[in-house]
């Protein structure tokens, strides 16, 4: 596990297109999950301790954002051969156990993670209604993999602002987590 931080938000960058298999067996693309007031695309996985530390917040925030017209989707891009805890079957279990109300997609070739320049799990990409990037920050502060405070997360505050104004906060604290487990060729 290599602790990795996300880069600074590239404000206005358009979302990359994708079409991936969901844990429910359907195929999901960017157009099908786009929210009226915003879209949250998250790169997560099943085994990362950083994801596990905030998974309840992720689910809660995504449920709250839905009522603001912001749709969410999670993508697992990790190498499932060398990291079997991130296999498709384990993704199905993880989604069910954590009561995901959003699609959980499998990026088997890792092409989508590369197109987005995703670097870690969790890595959050918050877009406005025009699919322009407005947030690339953390969900909340952690200390020893425990949330430092309760209440609204940084992610929820930022995406609420995006939903209401179309713009994200100028000051963003990078997300950090385990590096994406790239397939070795």
């Amino acid at each position: 596990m290599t602790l990795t931080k996300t880069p600074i938000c590239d404000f206005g960058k358009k979302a990359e297109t994708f079409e991936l298999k969901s844990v429910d067996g359907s195929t999901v693309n960017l157009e099908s999950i786009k929210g009226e007031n915003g879209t949250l695309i998250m790169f997560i996985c099943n085994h990362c301790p950083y994801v596990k530390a905030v998974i309840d917040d992720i689910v809660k925030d995504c449920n709250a954002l839905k009522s603001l017209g912001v749709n969410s989707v999670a993508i697992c891009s990790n190498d499932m051969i060398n990291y079997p805890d991130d296999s498709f079957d384990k993704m199905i279990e993880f989604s069910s156990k954590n009561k995901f109300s959003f699609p959980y997609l499998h990026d088997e070739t890792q092409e989508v993670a590369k197109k987005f320049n995703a670097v870690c799990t969790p890595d959050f990409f918050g877009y406005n209604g025009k699919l322009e990037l407005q947030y690339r920050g953390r969900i909340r502060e952690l200390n020893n993999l425990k949330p430092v405070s309760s209440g609204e997360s940084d992610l929820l505050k930022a995406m609420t602002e995006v939903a209401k104004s179309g713009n994200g906060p100028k000051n963003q604290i990078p997300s950090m987590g385990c590096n994406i487990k790239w397939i070795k060729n």
Side-chain angles (χ1 to χ4, degrees):
M1 167 181 88
T2 302
L3 181 61
T4 305
K5 290 184 181 182
T6 57
I8 295 170
C9 182
D10 188 3
F11 285 97
K13 183 176 183 193
K14 286 293 208 177
E16 299 290 339
T17 59
F18 59 84
E19 185 171 280
L20 296 169
K21 183 178 178 184
S22 176
V23 295
D24 70 3
S26 67
T27 299
V28 175
N29 61 40
L30 178 62
E31 198 55 39
S32 69
I33 57 100
K34 179 181 181 267
E36 182 180 343
N37 296 322
T39 305
L40 176 63
I41 299 173
M42 307 169 280
F43 288 85
I44 68 169
C45 70
N46 310 327
H47 86 276
C48 172
Y50 291 90
V51 171
K52 287 180 175 180
V54 296
I55 196 64
D56 290 341
D57 285 319
I58 288 172
V59 171
K60 185 176 81 176
D61 287 0
C62 290
N63 289 336
L65 290 170
K66 184 80 173 158
S67 68
L68 297 173
V70 176
N71 288 345
S72 303
V73 64
I75 300 172
C76 180
S77 299
N78 276 358
D79 171 3
M80 66 177 181
I81 302 300
N82 290 307
Y83 297 87
D85 283 345
D86 290 328
S87 71
F88 191 72
D89 287 341
K90 295 286 187 180
M91 288 173 59
I92 294 169
E93 290 174 21
F94 191 71
S95 173
S96 176
K97 175 185 171 201
N98 291 291
K99 298 177 176 60
F100 285 11
S101 60
F102 48 86
Y104 190 20
L105 312 179
H106 188 216
D107 179 19
E108 186 174 3
T109 65
Q110 301 185 317
E111 287 176 24
V112 175
K114 289 174 184 172
K115 281 171 56 172
F116 275 82
N117 293 316
V119 296
C120 63
T121 55
D123 197 344
F124 301 100
F125 293 79
Y127 296 90
N128 63 19
K130 298 176 190 170
L131 291 174
E132 299 165 332
L133 188 62
Q134 296 296 317
Y135 190 70
R136 183 122 186 243
R138 70 182 183 186
I139 189 163
R140 66 170 60 250
E141 183 180 2
L142 296 177
N143 185 9
N144 294 321
L145 297 174
K146 301 273 189 258
V148 171
S149 61
S150 59
E152 273 193 336
S153 72
D154 294 1
L155 176 68
L156 183 58
K157 287 180 205 166
M159 289 307 296
T160 298
E161 186 175 326
V162 169
K164 291 179 177 177
S165 72
N167 298 306
K170 295 300 174 206
N171 295 321
Q172 301 179 12
I173 299 170
S175 183
M176 68 172 83
C178 301
N179 63 302
I180 289 184
K181 306 306 184 234
W182 300 107
I183 298 168
K184 295 185 183 11
N185 295 327

